[in-house]
Structures are given as C-alpha cells and as structure tokens.
Amino acid sequence: MNTLDGMTTGTWTLDPAHTEVGFSVRHAGISKVRGTFAGVSGELTVAEDAARSTGRVEIEMASVDTKNEARDNHVRSAQFFDVETFPQMSYDINGVHLDGGEGTVTGTLTLRGVSREVELETEFNGVAVDAFGTTRAGFTAATTISRKEFGITWNAALEGGGVMVSDKVRIDLDVEFIAPGSAA
C-alpha cells in the first residue's frame, strides 16, 4: 500500500535546520571525500494518492562544505560545479512509491544545466509533533549518480594507474518537512 501515514494532504515545507544533504566520492581509488550543502530549501505537496505527490528541493551549490577550503573552492570552480554559471542544483519530485515505509521517490535531478531522471531509495521515518507543537515528517534517502552524465568530467590520472576522482557519486539525504499550517 502506497501511503505516507500521518501526513496530511497539502504542501509541507522543508526544514533546513533539520535536513542534511550530503555526498561522497572515491578519492585516488583509496578513500572517500564527503561533503554537505548548507543552503537547502524545498517543499513536498502530498496528494491523497502518495504516488501523485510532487515537490521540489533546491540546493545552493556555493554552500558546499568538504571541510577543506581549497578543495571547496576547486569544487565550486568551472571544473566541477561551476557555481557562477549554475548556482543551484534541483530535484523535482514526480512520485512517491512506498510500501511499509520503504521504497522510492522518483524525480528529475538538474545539475550544471543537465536534467536526468533519478530514483531515490527512500525510507519514510514517520510523523511526529515536536515539543513546540510543530508537526514534522522525516525521510532518509540515497542514490548514486554518474557525475559525467551531468557534465562534471574533470579528473587527473594517477601515476600508479587510476584517476583522482571516481565517476560515481553517492548522495545521502536526511530530510524533515513541516506540515501545512504548523509553525516552525
């Protein structure tokens, strides 16, 4: 049964203070570099039939943080995100497909002006009313994309073989939405 138990129909607002959008990419074939984005906004419009729910999440690309200022500046450059030309990444949700709280969210990811259909493996963590009376819903989701499919092709060959940055990028999300009419 495709449901969002406890979520009322209407437009829920993403709470950036309780949301984390992160990524990881293999570096030099031996470790992973992780990063997050601080600038996140969005909404989820819940329909009677969860499969017809829609929404949009926007990420300010200049807000990337990998805990290394030099690397962050390189990632913001035209060799990677090109934040001067493409200041935002967006995900347009066109369906929620959950059974027993697990399943997928489908939508279109736009990064560097390239749009691709991307499916997020998703867990619906439920609905709760916090200590201040605000109704919240939480989701955890993940996917892996090819950065080359979005025009991010910079790399450097390593002396012993391989490349500096892998093509595969894992995206991990922990997201909270606030119910229509709830005060944050």
Side-chain angles (χ1 to χ4, degrees), residues 8-32:
T8 57
T9 58
T11 300
W12 292 61
T13 304
L14 185 137
D15 180 0
H18 295 99
T19 293
E20 182 173 278
V21 175
F23 65 93
S24 60
V25 62
R26 188 146 312 272
H27 176 260
I30 59 171
S31 65
K32 288 185 180 177

Side-chain angles (χ1 to χ4, degrees), residues 6-154:
M7 290 186 79
T8 57
T9 58
T11 300
W12 292 61
T13 304
L14 185 137
D15 180 0
H18 295 99
T19 293
E20 182 173 278
V21 175
F23 65 93
S24 60
V25 62
R26 188 146 312 272
H27 176 260
I30 59 171
S31 65
K32 288 185 180 177
V33 169
R34 290 173 173 77
T36 59
F37 296 95
V40 181
S41 62
E43 61 187 29
L44 175 64
T45 302
V46 176
E48 287 285 337
D49 174 4
R52 296 186 182 281
S53 297
T54 60
R56 181 176 177 88
V57 175
E58 294 179 344
I59 297 161
E60 298 300 323
M61 300 306 286
S63 73
V64 67
D65 181 6
T66 66
K67 300 187 180 3
N68 181 291
E69 187 176 347
R71 179 174 48 225
D72 292 348
N73 289 333
H74 187 207
V75 170
R76 290 179 189 115
S77 77
Q79 291 181 329
F80 284 93
F81 293 152
D82 192 4
V83 301
E84 293 293 321
T85 306
F86 305 102
Q88 291 183 330
M89 171 172 54
S90 64
Y91 185 70
D92 290 297
I93 300 164
N94 59 33
V96 177
H97 313 281
L98 301 173
D99 185 10
E102 295 184 4
T104 59
V105 169
T106 56
T108 303
L109 178 65
T110 302
L111 173 59
R112 280 186 58 120
V114 177
S115 298
R116 298 263 190 257
E117 293 301 308
V118 172
E119 187 173 273
L120 301 171
E121 292 298 320
T122 304
E123 182 178 352
F124 174 47
N125 301 319
V127 175
V129 178
D130 69 17
F132 305 101
T134 302
T135 303
R136 299 171 174 278
F139 296 85
T140 305
T143 194
T144 300
I145 63 169
S146 160
R147 64 187 182 90
K148 291 177 187 173
E149 287 183 359
F150 291 91
I152 303 173
T153 59
W154 181 90

